[in-house]
Amino acid sequence: MATESNMSNICNYSHDVTFFYRHVGKVIREKWTTRDYVIIGLGLTVCLIVVLANLMVMVAIFVNRRFHYPIYYLLGNMAAADLFAGLAYTNLMLNTGPWTRMLSKEQWYIRGALIDISLTASVANLLAVAVERHQTIITMQLHNNMTKKRVVLLIISIWVAGIIMGLVPSLFWNCECDLDDCSTVAPLYSRRFLIFWAVLNLLTFLIMLVMYARIFFYVKCQSRHTSSHTSEVRHQTFVNLMKTISMVLGAFVICWTPGLVTLLLDGLLGKDSNANRYEKYCLVIAECNSLVNPIIYSLRDAEMRRTFKWILCCLCRKGVCQQTDPLSTVIDSPVKEVFSEDNQN
């Protein structure tokens, strides 16, 4: 018994990726199929669209001075996280299927770390947005008075947290020294880490949902006391922004919850969870989330939509950018009146 226990605790640093896949019963195909080519082709196409769409959101927030407020900086950082996710999925597509057996353990850990970083950065960013919105409703302001320096430090903290969570499995929380703890979805990851990671993110989702429910309840109560036209415009603008952010949060929760639940079941039940059956479907749903946010911004925010059109005109017709300004395309915008009053105050 003692000998068997010692053998199970021997670290398997010398073994390659295929050893851990065989140990958990996860098959690495040796040949490509037509289905594989179709999936990778569609996946890379979606990744390209994700990168370009979120890059456009970031450029729109940069060039339009009406978006130079903490909440929009955070939404821009959310777009950066989605862009990073697009690059992470591209790397995954180029290192999956039969290519997996060619990966070193370091390359395999990097492949997983990129996905972990993008998710952690997105969750932390959404939590920061929730806190920022919660602070603004106390005084019913449209925008927080947080300085640009504090916003930059907050954004840096978000990415540092993402990088740390991405490095944790490769540095010390893996199953190389405990084969019985290996995940079936991610064969080198510790099942205990998957439980911790999934529970942490799901609890964060719950906290954000409770915060937004409280915000909407508070706004609904305050709306009964709005009297002047300016207050009504401010309130409506605030509500529209809140609806946009809530849709972003809702889409994120819907797209990522199936994957996190699958990881949680894998961590708790191991091979009995049959998580490998649903892994790829959950990954596709999660990938779609990075494409959803730019669509939400386009449908919900008229000024963002105008700025997108201005950027596309700049790309299509040289010289337009020098002759026009994104602000000049905004005519009779209700936000303009609110901003004017804010500047006077």
Side-chain angles (χ1 to χ4, degrees):
M1 291 295 293
T3 302
E4 293 180 1
S5 176
N6 291 334
M7 288 295 293
S8 64
N9 290 327
I10 294 176
C11 294
N12 298 273
Y13 297 133
S14 61
H15 292 293
D16 58 11
V17 171
T18 56
F19 168 82
F20 293 92
Y21 273 71
R22 286 196 300 268
H23 175 73
V24 299
K26 189 171 185 177
V27 178
I28 302 178
R29 291 190 301 276
E30 297 183 1
K31 296 182 179 180
W32 291 95
T33 64
T34 303
R35 178 174 172 271
D36 293 328
Y37 288 122
V38 172
I39 292 175
I40 290 180
L42 291 175
L44 291 176
T45 302
V46 171
C47 289
L48 177 62
I49 297 173
V50 165
V51 170
L52 294 178
N54 284 286
L55 183 61
M56 182 174 290
V57 173
M58 296 171 64
V59 173
I61 293 174
F62 176 78
V63 301
N64 193 330
R65 292 191 300 274
R66 295 198 187 279
F67 297 141
H68 291 187
Y69 290 90
I71 181 62
Y72 284 107
Y73 291 143
L74 291 174
L75 291 179
N77 191 48
M78 186 71 189
D82 286 331
L83 186 151
F84 186 87
L87 297 177
Y89 288 124
T90 300
N91 180 71
L92 177 64
M93 291 292 173
L94 296 176
N95 292 282
T96 191
W99 285 328
T100 303
R101 66 176 62 253
M102 300 169 59
L103 297 177
S104 65
K105 285 193 292 186
E106 290 75 17
Q107 291 172 325
W108 190 93
Y109 278 126
I110 291 174
R111 189 186 74 171
L114 294 177
I115 302 295
D116 297 346
I117 291 171
S118 66
L119 173 59
T120 304
S122 296
V123 172
N125 202 85
L126 282 171
L127 183 59
V129 170
V131 173
E132 192 275 346
R133 288 292 88 188
H134 189 272
Q135 290 178 340
T136 57
I137 62 114
I138 296 177
T139 55
M140 284 303 293
Q141 294 179 344
L142 182 62
H143 294 294
N144 197 307
N145 294 323
M146 186 188 304
T147 63
K148 290 184 178 180
K149 183 178 180 180
R150 291 183 62 185
V151 175
V152 171
L153 290 176
L154 178 59
I155 291 174
I156 292 175
S157 300
I158 288 171
W159 284 101
V160 168
I163 293 173
I164 291 174
M165 289 302 296
L167 293 177
V168 164
S170 61
L171 293 179
F172 60 89
W173 209 345
N174 52 61
C175 68
E176 291 189 51
C177 295
D178 186 2
L179 293 179
D180 293 335
D181 192 36
C182 287
S183 160
T184 59
V185 171
L188 274 75
Y189 276 19
S190 166
R191 287 165 54 191
R192 289 172 292 176
F193 170 74
L194 293 185
I195 295 173
F196 164 78
W197 198 58
V199 170
L200 179 63
N201 285 289
L202 291 173
L203 285 177
T204 306
F205 289 175
L206 180 60
I207 292 172
M208 288 189 288
L209 291 174
V210 171
M211 290 182 68
Y212 277 107
R214 184 176 183 275
I215 290 173
F216 275 113
F217 179 76
Y218 183 87
V219 172
K220 184 177 180 180
C221 293
Q222 290 293 323
S223 63
R224 300 172 184 174
H225 305 292
T226 57
S227 55
S228 66
H229 171 68
T230 302
S231 297
E232 290 178 359
V233 171
R234 178 190 291 274
H235 173 75
Q236 187 58 44
T237 306
F238 179 86
V239 171
N240 288 338
L241 181 57
M242 282 300 305
K243 287 182 178 179
T244 301
I245 297 171
S246 298
M247 290 176 67
V248 171
L249 173 62
F252 190 87
V253 171
I254 291 172
C255 290
W256 275 101
T257 297
L260 291 175
V261 171
T262 299
L263 292 180
L264 181 60
L265 292 176
D266 180 32
L268 292 173
L269 303 177
K271 296 179 181 179
D272 294 334
S273 65
N274 295 317
N276 280 327
R277 294 184 179 180
Y278 314 105
E279 171 197 2
K280 289 182 172 56
Y281 300 106
C282 294
L283 191 62
V284 170
I285 296 173
E287 181 182 1
C288 290
N289 176 248
S290 298
L291 184 61
V292 168
N293 290 342
I295 297 175
I296 293 175
Y297 299 143
S298 299
L299 296 177
R300 290 291 311 171
D301 196 319
E303 192 158 351
M304 183 74 75
R305 192 160 56 246
R306 293 188 186 99
T307 309
F308 286 166
K309 292 179 180 178
W310 181 82
I311 295 172
L312 292 175
C313 286
C314 288
L315 295 174
C316 295
R317 293 182 292 175
K318 295 181 179 180
V320 174
C321 295
Q322 298 177 354
Q323 299 173 5
T324 61
D325 186 275
L327 289 174
S328 65
T329 63
V330 182
I331 303 175
D332 297 329
S333 172
V335 181
K336 183 177 181 180
E337 181 178 353
V338 177
F339 284 166
S340 298
E341 188 203 9
D342 286 340
N343 293 332
Q344 293 174 0
N345 293 337

